[in-house]
Amino acid sequence: MPRQVDHDARRREVAEVAARLIAQVGVERVTVRELAKAAGYSTAIVSHYFADKRQLLLFTYQAAAQAAQARVDAVLERAPDDLIGTIEALLPLDDARHRDWQVWLSFWGMAIGDPEFAAEQRGRVLGTRRRIEEVLRAMAANGKLAKDADFDLIARELLTLVNGLAVQAGFDPADWPAERQRGVLLQAMAPLTVRV
Amino acid sequence: MPRQVDHDARRREVAEVAARLIAQVGVERVTVRELAKAAGYSTAIVSHYFADKRQLLLFTYQAAAQAAQARVDAVLERAPDDLIGTIEALLPLDDARHRDWQVWLSFWGMAIGDPEFAAEQRGRVLGTRRRIEEVLRAMAANGKLAKDADFDLIARELLTLVNGLAVQAGFDPADWPAERQRGVLLQAMAPLTVRV
Amino acid sequence: MPRQVDHDARRREVAEVAARLIAQVGVERVTVRELAKAAGYSTAIVSHYFADKRQLLLFTYQAAAQAAQARVDAVLERAPDDLIGTIEALLPLDDARHRDWQVWLSFWGMAIGDPEFAAEQRGRVLGTRRRIEEVLRAMAANGKLAKDADFDLIARELLTLVNGLAVQAGFDPADWPAERQRGVLLQAMAPLTVRV
Amino acid sequence: MPRQVDHDARRREVAEVAARLIAQVGVERVTVRELAKAAGYSTAIVSHYFADKRQLLLFTYQAAAQAAQARVDAVLERAPDDLIGTIEALLPLDDARHRDWQVWLSFWGMAIGDPEFAAEQRGRVLGTRRRIEEVLRAMAANGKLAKDADFDLIARELLTLVNGLAVQAGFDPADWPAERQRGVLLQAMAPLTVRV
DNA sequence: CATGAATGAGGCTTCATTCAT
DNA sequence: TATGAATGAAGCCTCATTCAT
C-alpha cells in the first residue's frame, strides 16, 4: 500500500507558508519558486495540491478568514454577548492577528479588478457583520442593549471601526499598539452600548 | 524649433490614465503595454516621462492623495471648522472619490512588503489626521467642541471611520450608498461633537 | 523520479554554442534568442543554467582559456621544456585555436570599460606568462638556455609575439597561414634560445 | 546668409568625444544619448552629421588610425630611416597613444563578425606594415640593414610586437610602463637590425 | 506521490531613429 | 541648422506551468 498523505493537511501546510510569505513581501511578490523553497517542497507542489496558483491564494485567503472566525467562536462559546471580546478577537492586537490582516491587506490589491476575490472579501465582511449582529441581539436579550436599537447600523459602525483600525495598524503598527486600538474602540463604543 | 510639451502636464495625463486602469484591474495587472495603449502612446512613453514604472505608480498614488487634499482644502477655505464637510470630502461618496479609494486599496497590496510605499501610506494617514485635528481645534475655538477634548483621540477615531467606510464601500459599493456612509458617520460623530 | 541532468555538462554545452556564435558574429551581437535557437532550447535555458547572460559569457570566456591551457598541458606532459610546442599550442594554427582567439578578440571589446572582464584578461595573460617562464626554467635546467637569462623578459617577448600574431591572424587568416605564423615566430625565437 | 558650420570640423569634434567615451566604457556601451550629452548637442546630432551610428563609429575608428599615421609621419619627416622612432610612435607609450589603442581594442569586438570593420582593421595593419617596410628599405639604402634582408618578414615581426605589446599594455597598463615596452622591443629588435 | 528540467508567454526597459517644429 | 518628443523593435529576464521520469 502506498503511503497515504493527508491531502487537506498538506494544503493547509502550504497555505500557512504562503500566508507567512505574503505578510512579508506582499501577495504579488510571492512566487511559486519561493513558496516551494520556503515550504521545503519542489515547485510542482502547487500544481499538485492546487489547480492553480490562484486557487492556492484563494485558499490562503480563506484560511486566514477561518482563523479569525475561530477566534470569534472561541469568545462567543464562553459568552455569547461578549461584544468587546468579539471585536477584540478581530483586531490586530497581537502578532497572529496582525499577520492575518497583513494577508488581507495584501489581497485587497488583487481584489480590485478581480471579481472573485472581491466577492470573497464582500462575503467575509458580510459574514462578520452578521455575527456581530447576533452578539448585539444576545446583548439585547440580556438587557445590555435597547431591544429597538438599530442592530444593522451598530454592527456596521463596529465593523467599520475594526477595518479602519486594522488598516492603520497594518501599515503603522508602532503608532497603533494594542492599548491605542482599544482606546479608540472604547471611545467609540461607549455611547453605543451603554444605552440600555 | 522643436515641439514644446508641458512635461508636468503630460506626466499628470499619463498618471490619470494609470489611475483609471488601476481602479479597473488593480495595480499589479497594469502593464506598460496596456497603459500605453489606453493613453494612445507607445510603450516608451513611460520611460520617457518617468524613470521607472515604479516611479509612475508612486506618482499616481501621490496624485490621488493630492486630489483628496485639494477637496479638503476647498471645504476648509469656506469654513475652517466644517468637520462633517472635511470627513465627507474624504469618503467615497461619488465616483471621483470612489476611484481614488480604489487606487489606494490597490496600492495597499504593494505597500505590504514595500517599505517606500508603506511609508507613503503612513505619511498620508498622518497628514490627514493632522488636518482633522486642526479642524477640531477650530471647532473648539468657535465653541463647538470642549477645549479640553482629546483632539488626537477624536481625530484618530474619525480617520478610523473614514478608512473603515472606504474599505467596505470600495469592495461593495452597492451596499454602501452615500446615505448609508453618512448614516454610520453621523451615528458615530454625534456623541463626539455635541459635547460643547 | 525526475530526469537527471548533468548540470555542468549542460553548462559547457551551452557555452560551446555561445563560443561558436561569438566567433561568428561577435559577443555583442549574440542574443539570448539566437543562442537558444542555435542550442535547440528555449530562451529560458540561459537563466536556467546561468544566473545571467553576463555569467554565461564569463563562463564561455573561461572555457576557451581552459581549453588553451589544456593544449599547453598536453605538450608539457610529453616534454616540459618544449618551448616551441608550448608557443604553437597557443597560436591560432588550426580552426579550434583560431576560434578560441576569435572569442577572446571579441571579448576584448567588452573588457574595455568592464573591470571584471579586464581583470579576467589580465589574469589569463599573467598565468600564461608564468607557464612560459616555467618552460624556460626547464630549458635552462637541461642546458638549452643560459641559466642567467632574463626569464621574465623572454617570456614577455614570447607572449607578446603570440598576442601580436593572434590579433593579425584573427582578422586576416588568409594572410597568416600556419607557416607564416611559424616563420615570424622562429625568426624571433632564434636569437633567444640558441644562447646556451 | 545663414551661418556656415564647418561640417568636417563638427564631425571630427563629435568623433573626438566618441573616442573619449569608447576608451572609457567600450564601444558597445556608447549610446547616442550619452554621446550627445557629452558633446553638448542633442541626440539628433548623429543623424545630422552621420548617416548612421555605425558611420560615426567607423569615422571614429579611422580618425584614430589617422592620428597614429600622423605620428609616424612626423617621425619620418625628420629621419626616414628611424625605425625605433617609427615603432615607438605606434606603441601606447603615453596617454594619447594609449587611448587610441583602447579605441582599437574596443572596436575589435565589433570587427569580429562585421566584415566592413574587419576589412578596415586589415587595411590599417597592412598600411602600417608597408610603412615599416619603407623604413627598412631606407635603412638598407643607408647601410643600416643588409640589402637582401627579408623586409616583409621583419616588418611582420615588428608589427606583431607592436600589436602584442599594445594588447597587453591596453589591459594592464600598470604592468607595462613605457620602459618595459621599450625593453621587450629592444631585446627583439637587436638581432634584427644590427645585421649590416 | 513527487521531482526538477524545460518551456513560452509576457514584463520592463533601452536604444537608434524619425519627424514636426 | 537644430531640437526634443515620440516611436517600435528588440533585449534580458521572470514566472507559472507542464511533462517525462
Side-chain angles (χ1 to χ4, degrees):
Chain A
M1 272 216 307
R3 180 168 57 96
Q4 272 301 345
V5 175
D6 185 335
H7 213 74
D8 277 357
R10 187 64 57 93
R11 281 165 67 91
R12 281 192 300 274
E13 180 191 342
V14 172
E16 169 61 26
V17 175
R20 207 172 61 220
L21 257 58
I22 290 168
Q24 278 172 20
V25 302
V27 73
E28 302 289 350
R29 284 178 144 100
V30 172
T31 70
V32 172
R33 203 123 53 204
E34 290 290 328
L35 172 61
K37 191 166 63 180
Y41 294 105
S42 87
T43 57
I45 195 73
V46 170
S47 321
H48 220 290
Y49 286 105
F50 299 90
D52 224 321
K53 186 193 183 186
R54 189 188 154 77
Q55 295 306 316
L56 157 64
L57 294 180
L58 195 55
F59 185 88
T60 303
Y61 178 94
Q62 292 165 336
Q66 282 170 12
Q69 198 163 328
R71 281 189 209 102
V72 171
D73 287 346
V75 169
L76 296 182
E77 256 174 47
R78 286 195 302 267
D81 64 349
D82 183 355
L83 181 58
I84 296 209
T86 299
I87 301 298
E88 293 201 347
L90 295 169
L91 287 176
L93 296 175
D94 63 10
D95 285 350
R97 281 169 281 176
H98 184 69
R99 206 204 61 177
D100 283 348
W101 276 105
Q102 298 262 72
V103 171
W104 291 321
L105 255 49
S106 185
F107 269 104
W108 290 349
M110 270 188 91
I112 296 291
D114 185 324
E116 196 176 348
F117 271 85
E120 194 70 34
Q121 165 67 10
R122 272 196 299 277
R124 191 176 72 85
V125 168
L126 183 58
T128 307
R129 201 166 68 221
R130 293 263 162 78
R131 300 178 79 76
I132 294 176
E133 284 183 52
E134 284 173 29
V135 178
L136 293 174
R137 268 188 284 272
M139 289 176 73
N142 293 351
K144 294 183 176 175
L145 187 64
K147 286 199 152 45
D148 61 347
D150 188 338
F151 297 146
D152 175 82
L153 191 61
I154 296 177
R156 283 178 186 271
E157 181 184 337
L158 290 172
L159 197 47
T160 296
L161 289 165
V162 167
N163 276 292
L165 284 170
V167 164
Q168 293 173 98
F171 290 110
D172 203 350
D175 191 43
W176 287 94
E179 278 324 298
R180 177 162 279 159
Q181 293 183 50
R182 285 200 185 90
V184 168
L185 179 68
L186 293 180
Q187 171 184 244
M189 289 181 70
L192 286 178
T193 58
V194 191
R195 296 177 185 169
V196 179
Chain B
M1 273 201 294
R3 184 154 51 103
Q4 279 300 343
V5 167
D6 184 335
H7 219 71
D8 277 356
R10 190 59 56 91
R11 282 166 67 93
R12 283 193 299 272
E13 178 193 340
V14 173
E16 169 62 28
V17 175
R20 209 172 60 217
L21 257 60
I22 290 169
Q24 278 172 21
V25 301
V27 71
E28 302 288 352
R29 282 180 146 97
V30 172
T31 69
V32 171
R33 241 183 309 259
E34 290 292 328
L35 173 60
K37 192 163 63 181
Y41 294 102
S42 87
T43 60
I45 195 73
V46 172
S47 316
H48 206 302
Y49 286 103
F50 299 91
D52 226 316
K53 186 192 182 189
R54 188 187 157 77
Q55 293 308 314
L56 158 63
L57 295 180
L58 196 54
F59 185 89
T60 302
Y61 178 95
Q62 292 165 337
Q66 282 170 12
Q69 196 163 328
R71 280 188 211 105
V72 171
D73 286 345
V75 169
L76 297 182
E77 251 173 52
R78 287 193 302 266
D81 64 351
D82 182 355
L83 181 59
I84 297 208
T86 300
I87 302 297
E88 294 201 346
L90 295 169
L91 286 176
L93 296 176
D94 62 11
D95 285 350
R97 281 169 282 177
H98 183 69
R99 206 203 61 179
D100 282 348
W101 275 104
Q102 298 264 73
V103 170
W104 291 321
L105 254 50
S106 184
F107 269 104
W108 288 351
M110 269 189 92
I112 298 290
D114 185 324
E116 195 176 348
F117 271 86
E120 194 72 32
Q121 165 67 10
R122 271 197 299 277
R124 193 176 70 85
V125 168
L126 184 58
T128 307
R129 200 166 69 221
R130 291 264 163 78
R131 297 177 81 76
I132 294 175
E133 284 183 53
E134 283 173 30
V135 178
L136 294 174
R137 266 189 283 274
M139 290 176 72
N142 295 348
K144 295 182 177 176
L145 186 65
K147 286 199 151 46
D148 62 347
D150 188 338
F151 298 143
D152 175 80
L153 191 62
I154 297 175
R156 281 177 186 272
E157 181 183 336
L158 290 171
L159 196 47
T160 295
L161 289 163
V162 166
N163 277 289
L165 284 170
V167 165
Q168 294 173 96
F171 290 111
D172 202 350
D175 190 43
W176 287 94
E179 279 324 298
R180 179 163 278 155
Q181 293 183 52
R182 285 201 185 90
V184 169
L185 180 68
L186 293 180
Q187 171 183 243
M189 287 182 71
L192 287 178
T193 56
V194 192
R195 293 175 185 168
V196 178
Chain C
M1 274 199 295
R3 183 153 53 102
Q4 279 297 347
V5 166
D6 184 336
H7 219 71
D8 277 356
R10 191 56 58 93
R11 282 165 67 92
R12 282 192 300 271
E13 179 193 339
V14 173
E16 168 63 27
V17 175
R20 208 172 61 219
L21 257 59
I22 290 168
Q24 278 172 21
V25 302
V27 71
E28 302 288 353
R29 283 179 145 98
V30 173
T31 69
V32 172
R33 228 165 342 237
E34 289 291 327
L35 174 60
K37 192 164 63 180
Y41 293 103
S42 86
T43 61
I45 195 73
V46 171
S47 314
H48 206 300
Y49 285 104
F50 298 91
D52 225 315
K53 185 192 182 188
R54 189 188 155 76
Q55 294 305 315
L56 158 62
L57 294 180
L58 195 55
F59 185 88
T60 303
Y61 178 95
Q62 292 166 336
Q66 282 171 11
Q69 197 164 327
R71 281 187 211 106
V72 170
D73 286 345
V75 168
L76 296 182
E77 254 174 50
R78 287 195 301 267
D81 64 350
D82 183 356
L83 183 59
I84 296 210
T86 299
I87 302 298
E88 293 200 345
L90 295 170
L91 287 175
L93 297 175
D94 63 9
D95 284 352
R97 282 170 281 177
H98 183 69
R99 206 203 61 180
D100 282 349
W101 276 105
Q102 298 262 73
V103 170
W104 290 322
L105 254 50
S106 185
F107 269 104
W108 289 351
M110 267 189 93
I112 297 290
D114 185 325
E116 196 175 349
F117 271 87
E120 194 71 32
Q121 164 68 10
R122 273 197 298 278
R124 192 176 70 84
V125 167
L126 184 58
T128 308
R129 202 167 67 220
R130 292 263 161 78
R131 298 177 80 76
I132 295 176
E133 283 183 52
E134 283 174 31
V135 178
L136 293 174
R137 267 189 283 272
M139 290 176 72
N142 293 350
K144 294 183 177 174
L145 187 64
K147 287 200 150 47
D148 61 346
D150 188 339
F151 297 146
D152 176 80
L153 191 62
I154 296 175
R156 282 177 187 271
E157 182 185 334
L158 290 171
L159 196 48
T160 296
L161 289 164
V162 166
N163 276 291
L165 284 170
V167 165
Q168 294 173 95
F171 290 110
D172 202 351
D175 190 42
W176 287 94
E179 278 324 299
R180 178 163 278 158
Q181 293 184 52
R182 284 201 186 89
V184 168
L185 179 67
L186 293 180
Q187 171 183 243
M189 288 181 71
L192 288 177
T193 57
V194 190
R195 294 178 186 166
V196 179
Chain D
M1 276 215 303
R3 181 169 55 97
Q4 272 300 345
V5 175
D6 186 335
H7 212 73
D8 278 357
R10 187 64 58 90
R11 281 165 69 93
R12 281 193 300 273
E13 180 191 342
V14 172
E16 168 62 28
V17 175
R20 207 172 63 219
L21 257 58
I22 290 168
Q24 279 172 20
V25 301
V27 72
E28 302 289 352
R29 284 179 145 99
V30 173
T31 69
V32 172
R33 203 123 51 202
E34 289 290 328
L35 174 61
K37 191 166 63 180
Y41 295 105
S42 88
T43 57
I45 195 72
V46 171
S47 320
H48 221 289
Y49 285 105
F50 299 91
D52 224 321
K53 186 192 184 187
R54 190 188 153 75
Q55 294 307 315
L56 157 64
L57 295 180
L58 195 56
F59 185 87
T60 303
Y61 178 94
Q62 291 165 336
Q66 281 169 13
Q69 197 164 328
R71 281 188 209 102
V72 171
D73 286 345
V75 169
L76 297 182
E77 253 174 48
R78 285 195 303 268
D81 64 349
D82 183 355
L83 182 59
I84 297 208
T86 299
I87 302 298
E88 294 202 347
L90 295 170
L91 287 175
L93 297 175
D94 64 9
D95 284 351
R97 281 169 282 176
H98 183 70
R99 206 203 63 179
D100 283 347
W101 276 105
Q102 298 262 70
V103 171
W104 291 321
L105 254 50
S106 185
F107 269 104
W108 289 350
M110 271 188 90
I112 297 289
D114 184 325
E116 195 176 349
F117 271 85
E120 194 70 32
Q121 165 68 10
R122 272 197 299 279
R124 192 176 70 85
V125 167
L126 183 59
T128 309
R129 199 167 70 222
R130 292 264 162 79
R131 298 177 81 76
I132 295 176
E133 282 183 54
E134 283 174 29
V135 177
L136 293 174
R137 265 188 284 275
M139 290 175 73
N142 294 351
K144 293 182 177 176
L145 187 64
K147 288 200 149 44
D148 61 347
D150 188 338
F151 297 145
D152 176 80
L153 190 62
I154 296 176
R156 282 178 187 272
E157 180 183 337
L158 291 171
L159 196 47
T160 296
L161 289 164
V162 167
N163 275 291
L165 285 170
V167 165
Q168 294 173 96
F171 289 111
D172 203 350
D175 191 42
W176 287 94
E179 278 324 298
R180 178 162 278 157
Q181 294 184 50
R182 285 202 184 91
V184 168
L185 179 68
L186 294 180
Q187 171 183 244
M189 287 182 72
L192 286 178
T193 56
V194 192
R195 292 178 185 166
V196 179

